[in-house]
Every structure is written in C-alpha cells, then in structure tokens.
Amino acid sequence: MPFAKLYLLLIWLILSFSPYVCADELDEYTLKTAFLYNFAVYTTWPDTDASTFNLCIYGNDPFGKNLDSLMQKKRVNDRTVTIHRTNNIDRLDSCQLVFISRSSVDNLKAVIITLQDKPVLIVADSPGTIQQGVALNMEIKDEKITFDANLKVARKAGLNLSSQLLRFATSVLQ
C-alpha cells in the first residue's frame, strides 16, 4: 500500500474510531469533512478524462470553511478537488460526489431521480436516507460519527466502494 494511502487510512482510523475523538470534542462537521474526503478517496469511479473532482453541497452548507481548508490541496484519483455549493438540482449531474444537507433532504427523491444511473456518489447525514437511495449516510452514535453504506445504490451508479471503506461501515445494505 503506498505511503499516502496508508497515511489516509491511519487518519481515518484516528478520526472515526478513537475513544478520544468524539463528536462533542471536535465540531461535528469538521469530522464529517474528513469522512467526505475519505469517501471520495476510497471510491472508484468509471474512467474519465476530467481534470477536476467536483464535490457538491446541495442545500445549506454545514461544513463552511472546514471543507475548503481540507480540500484546498487535496487530490482524488489524481484530480484537483473543486467544491460547488448549489440549491439547483440541475447542476448536480456534473458532480462526482453530492452531499445532501439536512436543509434539502425533503428534495431527496428529486435528487435521486436526477442522478440515477450517473456515476455520482450521493452522501447525506439524515436518518432514513440510506433506505431511500443514498449510497453513504453519516450519523452520530455513542458520540462518534459512523456511516452506513448502500452497495446496491453505489453499484447501480457504476461506483465501487473499497473494502477498506466498507469495513468501517456500521451497516452495509446489499
């Protein structure tokens, strides 16, 4: 395993499973920013010639400057990360990863219909969204940030979630 991936895996372990790093001790969305990045790194998309990786926030942005700071010099699959914030569903099909904020979860069905069969990783942090068609859903359990994965949704979108990622999931829907 290349050193960079090993380093990311160690960061992942520290942030998500350390008894010393709880959601109360660090800002919830600071931790969720790290999860978003790791979701992107440990997902494989179909081949593309694009030079940028478009990470989109749909609805009110709960991440703020944390997301910009973390992604500033990061790369996903040798692509520069570009962050887009939008309330327009029609702009989401150019994204590789879409985070649906709690403020826009009422539009989840429309987002899923818009992005169906497109290679877009849909992520949320709202209860029940994993059963509605989100590939990854974060939540807080026992004061730690966890996530559930929906492999069926990811595969339908042509995405491959790494086994290194899935082993940390609280549950995996097949």
Side-chain angles (χ1 to χ4, degrees), residues 36 78 117 156 164:
L36 278 185
D78 293 324
D117 301 325
K156 186 175 179 190
Q164 292 175 329

Side-chain angles (χ1 to χ4, degrees), residues 28 34 44 71-72 86 95 127 131 149 156 160-162 166-167:
E28 174 184 351
T44 304
M71 300 297 182
Q72 188 174 19
T86 186
C95 306
Q131 293 83 8
K156 186 175 179 190
N160 182 36
L161 303 178
S162 165
L166 292 175
R167 68 186 230 193

Side-chain angles (χ1 to χ4, degrees), residues 123-172:
V123 179
D125 69 345
S126 298
T129 57
I130 200 79
Q131 293 83 8
Q132 296 177 49
V134 168
L136 297 168
N137 186 63
M138 296 179 278
E139 57 187 302
I140 297 176
K141 288 185 181 174
D142 299 324
E143 298 183 13
K144 293 182 183 177
I145 298 184
T146 63
F147 69 94
D148 297 321
N150 189 327
L151 273 182
K152 182 179 178 183
V153 167
R155 288 179 181 145
K156 186 175 179 190
L159 307 175
N160 182 36
L161 303 178
S162 165
S163 61
Q164 292 175 329
L165 174 68
L166 292 175
R167 68 186 230 193
F168 295 111
T170 303
S171 68
V172 178

Side-chain angles (χ1 to χ4, degrees), residues 1 11 27 29 42-43 55 88 111 114 131 144 146 155:
M1 177 182 297
I11 295 288
D27 177 66
Y29 283 94
Y42 289 101
T43 299
L55 190 158
N88 185 341
V111 171
T114 299
Q131 293 83 8
K144 293 182 183 177
T146 63
R155 288 179 181 145

Side-chain angles (χ1 to χ4, degrees), residues 38-59:
N38 281 295
F39 292 160
V41 168
Y42 289 101
T43 299
T44 304
W45 278 261
D47 289 336
T48 181
D49 294 333
S51 61
T52 61
F53 179 90
N54 295 315
L55 190 158
C56 300
I57 307 300
Y58 177 66

Side-chain angles (χ1 to χ4, degrees), residues 88-124:
N88 185 341
I89 290 177
D90 296 329
R91 293 188 176 174
L92 298 178
D93 62 355
S94 64
C95 306
Q96 282 71 50
L97 188 155
V98 171
F99 176 82
I100 302 171
S101 71
R102 291 177 187 161
S103 68
S104 296
V105 79
D106 290 343
N107 294 335
L108 179 61
K109 186 174 182 177
V111 171
I112 290 170
I113 289 169
T114 299
L115 298 176
Q116 76 182 36
D117 301 325
K118 292 186 171 89
V120 178
L121 182 65
I122 304 172
V123 179

